[in-house]
Amino acid sequence: MWRKKKNVLSVALAGALAASLTACSTPSSSNNDTNGATSKPAATTAATAAATGAATGGKIDTSEFQTISYVMLGDKPKNGQFEKVMEKVNALLKQKANAKLEIKWVEWADWQTKYNLLLASGEPVDLITVATDWLDTWQNAQKGAFMPLDKLLPTYAPLTWTEVPPTDWAETKYKNQIMLIPEDHYTQWVNHGFLYRGDWAKEFGITTPIKDWETLGKYFQGVKDKKPGVMPWDPNGTSGDIAGGYINSHTDAIELPVSTGMFGIIYGKSYDEKYTAYSPIFDDTFVNFAKQMKEWGDKGFWREDVLNYKGDNRAELEAGKSAVDQHHTQTFLGERVKMDKLQPGSDLQFYPFSSTRNNLVSLSITHGGTSVGAKSKHPERALMVYDLIRQDPEIYHLMNYGLEGVQYVVKDGKRYRPEGYDVQRDDFYSDFWGGRIDKNEIPDGNEYAGKADMYAAYDKIKKPYPYGRFVFDKAPVTNELTAVTQVVGQMGPAILYGKAGDPVKAVNDFRAKLKAAGYDKLQAEVQKQLDAFKTMVESSK
């Protein structure tokens, strides 16, 4: 999945920093050609206007100091570096917006449940990390979790408002109101697959890149036979990505933005039949998947108590105690560099699930984004703070990279680790995934040399994401969707990791429970709304 945006931003800024500041912005011109190279906007000359400027020419009163919360997905850092960086961030926010930022962490253990409960609680949070394809954004919007931003953005986040083109804002709307700010100006691939050791693959006689599950199984068996003390794969039993990965490798189905919890069960049949609702759960695809997972589980490719395991598989890969990690391209690019240091000669490689059939679909621009909580007490200041984080290079670099000289140094325009850097002592992250932009990025001087070739290969086969403006209205099937999601959560994990007994019987029982929960009514409603979406798309051409 791929995201590229081209944009040229011209902003005239006037005024001086005080309790209020006026900025005048001219609209951007934008070309959303995802096949072209990213063209970065001109640098902002007065980043403070992003927080305190008013595109309308009016004045903004920032005399009252306000604390702004920001919901982030991730485990709170524990080495003290985060606090040191935030002290600097907040000094700048105090100066530029008379505000302070507090991160509200939703940690990875049971993250989906915790995140949705937080949003449903009515707690007055300000900024919220969102994503329409993995964080149930539309479902939460339907529950009233977010504040409409149409009237606020031009005044309180003027640089972001002009930077995001109308076609992108259209993909952020629910009932014709803007519900989130998209991370639409950041280049990334987040198509999933397996990270594996190239040195071990060669040792096991696998001399070409892994491109199918059968060869992956041979790799796992090689680890089992020849690497005592190493777990072929040590997954967290709550992860459902493996189901979507198998479907991606064995069909051309495209998962629809209709969340059913642990893994999706309703897809568009293919890119050519994108408006036809289809479920691979009800054909041989899922039966074959369940059989393979039972076989792999029986062979000991993961631990016996996988369903209760909460460990860190990536850390085990880095320590040489696991042979793979399941995640996406961006993770691979970072881990490749890290593994070259931690496991010299490991030659980390990546098997994208889409490489089996070359059926790569681009990424929604709302894969990452930021919303404002419906009960936020300070939505205006929250947007000012967001505009600063996204647009002010100094604050952006702090939020994304940490302190220069501690977490990184810049040489010849590229970012490197300082001499003596210790990952446990000095590591920093904020998990800011809701508004990164290419123009403020500092290129990584140690990035994987094969990155350009990977991106070029993806470019040759990608198809544009077809559901960016499809918002499923669950109101007619709320009960059915809830019941189906519960069945997925209750029965799915055991099937996914080969712990449900006979796989054919397990899948048939799963299907029966889905039907009893109202699956047929749910799929019929999805199809009805896809038909309406098709009409809308075709009429707008």
Side-chain angles (χ1 to χ4, degrees), residues 33-56:
D33 179 6
T34 58
N35 291 300
T38 302
S39 176
K40 299 181 181 180
T44 303
T45 56
T48 53
T52 54
T56 57

Side-chain angles (χ1 to χ4, degrees), residues 78-97:
K78 296 179 174 62
N79 65 356
Q81 293 297 329
F82 177 78
E83 288 77 10
K84 294 177 181 178
V85 175
M86 289 306 298
E87 184 178 350
K88 178 65 173 175
V89 168
N90 282 325
L92 291 169
L93 290 178
K94 175 71 167 67
Q95 172 193 348
K96 299 183 179 188

Side-chain angles (χ1 to χ4, degrees), residues 439-454:
K439 72 180 181 184
N440 281 336
E441 287 287 304
I442 305 174
D444 185 352
N446 293 316
E447 71 181 11
Y448 173 45
K451 174 182 175 180
D453 290 339
M454 279 187 80

Side-chain angles (χ1 to χ4, degrees), residues 192-213:
H192 276 247
F194 277 101
L195 291 65
Y196 68 94
R197 293 187 56 150
D199 60 341
W200 289 355
K202 291 177 182 177
E203 183 180 335
F204 307 149
I206 302 170
T207 57
T208 58
I210 295 176
K211 291 188 176 182
D212 58 70
W213 289 62

Side-chain angles (χ1 to χ4, degrees), residues 2 11 72 143 193 212 228 274 308 348 389 438 497 504 524 536:
W2 173 240
V11 183
M72 297 287 189
K143 295 175 183 177
D212 58 70
K274 61 180 72 71
N308 299 314
L348 195 69
I389 296 171
D438 286 339
Y497 294 98
V504 176
M536 182 198 76

